[in-house]
Amino acid sequence: MAHVLKRILIKLLWVGVVFLGITVISFWVIHLAPGSPTDLQTTLNPDAGIEARLQLEKLYGLDKPLHIQYASWLKRLVQLDFGQSMSGDHRPVWDKIKERLPLTFGMNVASMVLTLLIAVPIGVTAAWWRGGVFDKLSTVVVFIGFAMPGFWLALLLMLWLGISWPILPISGLTSMGFDSMSPMGKLWDVTKHLILPIFIYTSGSWAGMSRFMRSSMLEVLRQDYIMTARAKGLSSRVVLFKHALRNALMPVITILGLSVPALIGGSVIIESIFALPGLGQLFYQAVMSRDYPLIMGSLVLGAILTLIGNLLADIGYGLADPRIRVGQGGK
C-alpha cells in the first residue's frame, strides 16, 4: 500500500508540472494569433478610435507585458477565478463553461462507454477466431471506419437521416415546443437530438480500439500460461475471460486514457456541425472573438480532464496488472 501511495503522489506532482507547462504554452500561443479582443469591439464601431481601443486594452490588462498578464491570470486561477469574458455578455468565464460542460462531458462519457462495449467484444472475438469469417469481416469494417472522416460522415448522415428520410433531428438540442412536452417526451426529444452526434463520436474511436484489443489479445493468447491453462483442460470460456482478457486490457486502458483529448478536440467540430450548445462550440466562438479568458478557461478544463484521464489510466494499470501495482516493492 505504501508503494501504491508513493506512486500516486509522484504521479500527482508530475501532473502539476505538466499542467503548469500546458498553461504557459497555451497562454503564449493564443497571444501569437493576429487580432485581439478589442478589435471586434472597435472595428465595427465608427465612433471608436484609437483612444477607445487603448482604454479597452487598459481595462482588460492587455497593455501590460505578456509575463505580467500570465502571472495575473495564474494568480486568479489559484483562487479558482477564471476571470470575466471579453466578448458577448461579459459574464464570468466559469458561468459560461458550467452551462455547457454537462452536455459535452455527457456525450464524451457515453461515447467512451459505447466504444468499450463495441470494441472489446469485436477485438476479443476476432482474436479468438483468428482468420475466420468474423475476423475478416471485422477487419474490412474497421478499415472503412479508419478511412472515413468524422465530419464527412456527419454531413452524410444529416443528408440521409435528416433531409432525405427525416428520421432524426440534425440541429440543436431540443425541438420546438419542448417546454410543453411531458418529462418522458423531453427525455426522448433530447435523446433523438444526440443520437447522431454520439454515433459520430463513437465511430471515430471504436475502430482503432477494436484493433488494439485484437492485437493485444493475440499476443496474450501466445503466452505460456495460456497454453498451460489449456493443457490443464480448462474450458475456453475460463481461459478467455479469466486468464487472457484481463491482461489484454492493458493497451486498451492506455488508449482510453489518451483518447480524452481527441474527444474534447472532436467536440469542437461535432458541436459546430450539429449546432449543439456544448463546450466545443463555446471554445470555437471564443477563438473567433479572441476572448482570451474564455479560451484559457476552456483549455485549462481540457488539460485537467486529459491529465485526469491519464492518471486514471495509470491507476487502472495497477488494478488490471498486480505486477505494476506491486512494482519494486515486490522485489
Side-chain angles (χ1 to χ4, degrees):
M1 181 60 68
H3 176 76
V4 174
L5 293 177
K6 180 181 178 181
R7 179 182 176 86
I8 294 176
L9 180 59
I10 294 175
K11 186 70 176 180
L12 288 174
L13 292 175
W14 177 245
V15 164
V17 173
V18 173
F19 175 76
L20 187 63
I22 291 174
T23 59
V24 171
I25 296 175
S26 300
F27 198 89
W28 176 63
V29 168
I30 64 174
H31 283 79
L32 289 178
S36 69
T38 60
D39 291 343
L40 294 177
Q41 300 179 35
T42 57
T43 303
L44 300 178
N45 187 353
D47 297 329
I50 298 178
E51 293 183 359
R53 177 175 298 184
L54 294 176
Q55 290 178 357
L56 286 174
E57 290 180 353
K58 184 176 181 180
L59 176 65
Y60 295 147
L62 300 177
D63 58 332
K64 300 177 182 178
L66 193 59
H67 66 281
I68 300 297
Q69 295 183 42
Y70 175 76
S72 178
W73 175 83
L74 187 62
K75 181 180 179 180
R76 292 196 305 269
L77 182 64
V78 172
Q79 301 171 356
L80 301 180
D81 179 13
F82 288 89
Q84 299 288 129
S85 174
M86 294 181 179
S87 62
D89 52 10
H90 300 276
R91 289 191 298 149
V93 169
W94 176 242
D95 289 349
K96 287 189 172 185
I97 290 178
K98 70 181 182 181
E99 292 175 354
R100 309 282 189 115
L101 180 60
L103 176 60
T104 301
F105 182 76
M107 289 195 300
N108 286 338
V109 170
S111 174
M112 294 178 71
V113 172
L114 288 174
T115 298
L116 286 176
L117 293 178
I118 296 172
V120 171
I122 290 177
V124 170
T125 306
W128 188 256
W129 301 103
R130 181 185 180 185
V133 176
F134 182 84
D135 185 23
K136 295 179 180 178
L137 181 62
S138 64
T139 299
V140 173
V141 175
V142 163
F143 280 118
I144 292 176
F146 269 129
M148 192 175 299
F151 70 91
W152 180 81
L153 179 61
L155 296 175
L156 193 63
L157 292 178
M158 290 172 70
L159 177 63
W160 286 351
L161 302 180
I163 299 176
S164 299
W165 297 282
I167 301 174
L168 296 172
I170 59 175
S171 178
L173 186 59
T174 58
S175 303
M176 295 181 63
F178 177 80
D179 294 334
S180 60
M181 297 180 183
S182 63
M184 290 302 298
K186 291 181 178 180
L187 178 61
W188 174 238
D189 184 63
V190 173
T191 302
K192 286 194 302 182
H193 282 80
L194 294 180
I195 288 176
L196 286 181
I198 292 178
F199 178 80
I200 300 300
Y201 271 120
T202 307
S203 65
S205 53
W206 75 266
M209 189 78 72
S210 64
R211 298 308 292 179
F212 277 106
M213 190 68 215
R214 178 183 180 275
S215 300
S216 178
M217 179 61 72
L218 286 175
E219 183 178 352
V220 170
L221 291 176
R222 299 190 189 101
Q223 300 300 315
D224 293 338
Y225 65 88
I226 297 296
M227 298 180 182
T228 302
R230 286 175 170 173
K232 288 182 178 180
L234 297 179
S235 65
S236 299
R237 182 183 181 88
V238 173
V239 172
L240 180 62
F241 292 103
K242 186 176 180 180
H243 296 281
L245 181 59
R246 186 170 183 176
N247 292 313
L249 284 175
M250 296 296 294
V252 175
I253 294 174
T254 305
I255 298 301
L256 196 63
L258 296 177
S259 65
V260 174
L263 288 172
I264 296 174
S267 66
V268 177
I269 300 175
I270 300 302
E271 290 175 8
S272 298
I273 292 176
F274 290 97
L276 294 173
L279 197 60
Q281 187 189 67
L282 180 67
F283 177 73
Y284 174 78
Q285 294 171 351
V287 171
M288 291 296 100
S289 60
R290 302 297 188 270
D291 191 338
Y292 295 150
L294 190 53
I295 294 173
M296 285 303 300
S298 301
L299 291 175
V300 163
L301 185 61
I304 291 175
L305 293 177
T306 301
L307 293 174
I308 289 176
N310 292 336
L311 182 61
L312 291 178
D314 191 62
I315 296 175
Y317 294 157
L319 297 177
D321 192 342
R323 294 171 298 178
I324 296 178
R325 185 165 62 249
V326 174
Q328 298 296 328
K331 295 184 178 181

